Amino acid sequence: MAVAVAVACFAPGVRSVLRESFTEIPASYTELYFTSPPALDKNTAVVPVSVVSHGDAGLTHRVRVLVEAPGGRVTASTTRTVTAPATDVRTASVVRLPVSDGGSVVRVELVGHDQTLHFRLGAPGSPTPQGTP
């Protein structure tokens, strides 16, 4: 019996239900994530990002993407407006920004929220979408 309970607790569906029963989940929230790892294409950072609005359809979000040189100086940036067509639907975008140094860092911010992402371009061991440097 104890083994069956232990096995059930490791099932994704059971963990999800337990988390929802013990954790307060907001009625609406927004996810920001890399659709795939950012990559270098010659002197251009290719940054695929996605936004998913949960609980709010038709919300417009601003996503800011920056490239920072190794010293922290911002060398390129842009802001995109992304509108969620419906709740729980992923809206993907690919941002391309110039890069002057392979050790640069890509930062992505969901404007007005505390969510940020970062990824070091050209770092040893960093994955690339193609799996090759």
Side-chain angles (χ1 to χ4, degrees):
M1 179 71 165
V3 172
V5 170
V7 170
C9 287
F10 287 105
V14 173
R15 284 195 325 252
S16 176
V17 170
L18 287 173
R19 182 177 56 246
E20 290 170 2
S21 66
F22 294 109
T23 306
E24 183 177 347
I25 297 176
S28 62
Y29 61 98
T30 304
E31 289 181 75
L32 171 69
Y33 59 92
F34 290 119
T35 311
S36 60
L40 281 173
D41 181 13
K42 297 182 184 168
N43 292 339
T44 303
V46 180
V47 186
V49 295
S50 290
V51 176
V52 180
S53 290
H54 297 281
D56 288 321
L59 278 184
T60 299
H61 302 284
R62 291 183 19 198
V63 177
R64 182 176 299 131
V65 181
L66 307 107
V67 174
E68 293 180 354
R73 182 177 53 89
V74 175
T75 59
S77 69
T78 189
T79 301
R80 292 259 173 106
T81 300
V82 178
T83 302
T87 189
D88 301 329
V89 174
R90 179 182 75 165
T91 305
S93 182
V94 177
V95 177
R96 296 176 183 275
L97 290 171
V99 175
S100 59
D101 186 311
S104 295
V105 173
V106 172
R107 296 205 184 276
V108 181
E109 305 169 352
L110 189 58
V111 177
H113 297 266
D114 60 355
Q115 295 184 56
T116 61
L117 306 171
H118 68 278
F119 189 90
R120 184 172 306 279
L121 294 168
S126 292
T128 60
Q130 299 80 20
T132 59

